[in-house]
């Protein structure tokens, strides 16, 4: 497969950073967007030092300006866009449904769902003009099943699944495959923050959160994204792929 131009949102940390490294390692040119400039610049430098091609753009994926800036940078720097991973997300409020504050609810939906809409709206015409390609959005296993005390997050990720499937149907005959990843519990800064930085709780989340009895790695999620965006997945679109150690099978 010849080198492609790839955009990754939330690309400075965790799963997004693993996606950036994985696409760059197979020779693709990557534009990584994030609101964390320090980590984003450092990752782009790391990729370039390893012989890859990556650029960092400070972009809030939950705004149309940020979504447009990432596509504009890819087109300016590399003249095309073939692949997009809409991965930026936040864990949202840890609260029971009756206690969720409206601000926290709206912020979670804005960052986790509206960002995916805005980014796809910016990306689809550019990918179409570049001759077609693939989009992978990041939902969660919480987008397939409910999660007590995480309803805003779970609702937002269910919405990402529905948004992805609908977009996939719209583009099925027009050369753009659109799929959604549903990771289980993955060892990233987000999960670590969610358990208050407690390593024992982090390990316990892996032991109890998946039939495999362990956390997933960001690289295991990135590997699935790589495959979904490859020619090997040429007949796959509108698919919600659980990469969760079997959690969704419970
Ligand atoms: P992370 O916190 O390590 O990385 C998320 C990145 O997104 C950060 O660099 C952050 O700065 C960035 N970001 C946040 N809001 C942004 C915005 N508005 N615009 C641009 N960038 C923004 O988290 P992670 O665990 O790697 O999560 C990545 C994705 O995977 C998220 O969508 C998350 O919901 C999903 N996910 C994570 C897990 C898990 O267990 N870690 C499980 C299922 C799904």
């Amino acid at each position: 497969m010849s080198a492609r131009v790839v955009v990754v949102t939330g690309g400075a940390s965790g799963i997004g950073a693993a996606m950036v490294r994985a696409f760059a390692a197979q020779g693709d040119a990557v534009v990584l967007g994030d609101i964390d400039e320090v980590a984003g610049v450092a990752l782009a430098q790391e990729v370039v030092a390893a012989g890859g091609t990556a650029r960092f753009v400070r972009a809030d994926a939950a705004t149309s300006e940020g979504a447009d800036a990432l596509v504009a940078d890819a087109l300016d720097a590399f003249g095309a866009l073939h692949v997009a991973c809409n991965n930026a997300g936040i864990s949202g409020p840890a609260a029971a449904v009756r206690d969720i504050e409206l601000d926290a609810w709206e912020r979670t939906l804005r960052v986790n769902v509206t960002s995916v809409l805005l980014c796809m709206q910016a990306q689809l015409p550019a990918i179409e003009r570049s001759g077609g390609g693939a989009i992978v959005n990041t939902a969660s296993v919480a987008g397939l099943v409910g999660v007590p005390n995480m309803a805003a997050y779970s609702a937002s990720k269910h919405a990402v699944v529905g948004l992805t499937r609908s977009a996939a149907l719209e583009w099925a005959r027009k050369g753009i495959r659109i799929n959604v990843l549903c990771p289980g519990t993955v060892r990233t800064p987000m999960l670590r923050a969610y358990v208050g930085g407690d390593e024992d709780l982090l390990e316990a989340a892996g032991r109890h959160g998946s039939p495999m009895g362990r956390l997933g790695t960001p690289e295991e999620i990135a590997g699935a994204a790589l495959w979904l965006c490859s020619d090997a997945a040429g007949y796959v679109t509108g698919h919600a792929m659980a990469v969760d150690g079997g959690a969704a099978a419970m």
Side-chain angles (χ1 to χ4, degrees):
M1 190 159 46
S2 55
R4 300 162 308 173
V5 182
V6 180
V7 162
V8 180
T9 73
S13 173
I15 292 167
M19 290 173 171
V20 170
R21 291 188 179 100
F23 280 106
Q26 69 173 15
D28 293 328
V30 185
V31 176
L32 66 119
D34 207 291
I35 49 176
D36 184 342
E37 186 157 6
V38 173
V41 168
L43 180 55
Q45 287 171 348
E46 175 201 307
V47 168
V48 171
T53 304
R55 295 164 57 82
F56 172 72
V57 177
R58 193 187 183 293
D60 182 344
T63 65
S64 49
E65 293 79 10
D68 291 345
L70 283 170
V71 172
D73 191 82
L75 296 177
D76 283 353
F78 304 115
L81 179 64
H82 307 106
V83 169
C85 296
N86 296 313
N87 164 81
I90 56 175
S91 54
V97 167
R98 67 177 184 182
D99 298 325
I100 294 173
E101 291 177 5
L102 195 55
D103 280 358
W105 169 266
E106 287 178 343
R107 178 77 192 142
T108 307
L109 293 183
R110 179 88 198 178
V111 176
N112 290 359
V113 188
T114 309
S115 72
V116 178
L117 173 69
L118 294 173
C119 286
M120 288 202 297
Q121 287 178 331
Q123 293 154 359
L124 285 163
I127 297 175
E128 184 178 39
R129 278 198 303 276
S130 303
I135 294 176
V136 169
N137 300 320
T138 307
S140 168
V141 74
L144 303 173
V145 301
V147 185
N149 302 314
M150 271 192 100
Y153 184 76
S154 180
S156 74
K157 294 302 189 177
H158 275 78
V160 173
V161 172
L163 176 58
T164 303
R165 287 179 171 146
S166 304
L169 296 176
E170 292 174 10
W171 287 84
R173 293 183 183 219
K174 294 188 281 186
I176 304 180
R177 296 183 300 99
I178 310 174
N179 293 289
V180 56
L181 284 173
C182 298
T185 43
V186 184
R187 180 180 280 279
T188 69
M190 176 192 283
L191 190 64
R192 183 181 298 278
Y194 190 74
V195 297
D198 186 321
E199 184 61 27
D200 291 339
L201 280 180
L202 198 59
E203 282 299 321
R207 262 197 316 281
H208 304 304
S210 98
M212 284 192 178
R214 66 167 176 87
L215 296 171
T217 67
E219 291 72 27
E220 287 171 322
I221 312 305
L226 227 60
W227 181 77
L228 283 171
C229 295
S230 74
D231 292 345
Y235 200 45
V236 182
T237 197
H239 180 50
M241 179 185 278
V243 187
D244 63 351
M250 288 197 286

